[in-house]
Amino acid sequence: MLLRLIALIAALTLSGCGIFYKLDIQQGNLFNKEQVDTLKPGMTKRQVLVVMGSPSVVSPFNQDRWDYVSSIKRGRGKMESKDLILYFENDALTKIEGDYFPEDPNSLIKDARKYKRQYPDEKREDDKKKPPSGG
């Protein structure tokens, strides 16, 4: 009995340490391919702010360079990071450098299904196949 109690306490203690499950952690700016594709040379800083949001880093010494930084660590996987650097001249976008996560549709669908909850009022494929009941 004592051995079971010790094992239970150890399991509860270790579960808080992330040994069993690690959360996905995303930090920084959230941007995707569509947002980056809408950026065009000549856009004003205000237009870029509307599309991309506030940059992660704006140097006080160089107001014409904006850095957008994002990182994600999925579970126990390696941390992936993406950087996007925008250069301005006379309040107009002149150059875009950097990268962003490639969007694999299968991966996005898998992640979405992992957190999907179904509620009784939602239509399911199984419901469509059953004949209506009642008379």
Side-chain angles (χ1 to χ4, degrees), residues 43-117:
M43 291 177 75
T44 66
K45 288 183 178 181
R46 179 74 181 142
Q47 290 172 322
V48 172
L49 277 173
V50 169
V51 172
M52 297 293 294
S54 299
S56 302
V57 179
V58 177
S59 171
F61 304 108
N62 186 0
Q63 297 280 325
D64 290 331
R65 175 183 165 155
W66 289 1
D67 292 79
Y68 290 86
V69 181
S70 181
S71 66
I72 187 167
K73 183 173 182 184
R74 298 184 190 275
R76 298 190 190 288
K78 291 174 58 177
M79 181 169 294
E80 302 173 49
S81 67
K82 59 181 176 176
D83 305 311
L84 186 69
I85 304 166
L86 306 179
Y87 296 94
F88 295 90
E89 190 173 306
N90 297 327
D91 197 42
L93 182 63
T94 57
K95 188 165 98 174
I96 302 169
E97 289 181 351
D99 57 355
Y100 43 86
F101 297 127
E103 294 183 12
D104 175 27
N106 294 328
S107 173
L108 292 174
I109 290 170
K110 180 182 170 189
D111 286 346
R113 284 186 181 148
K114 183 165 65 172
Y115 301 111
K116 173 81 171 121
R117 293 185 181 174

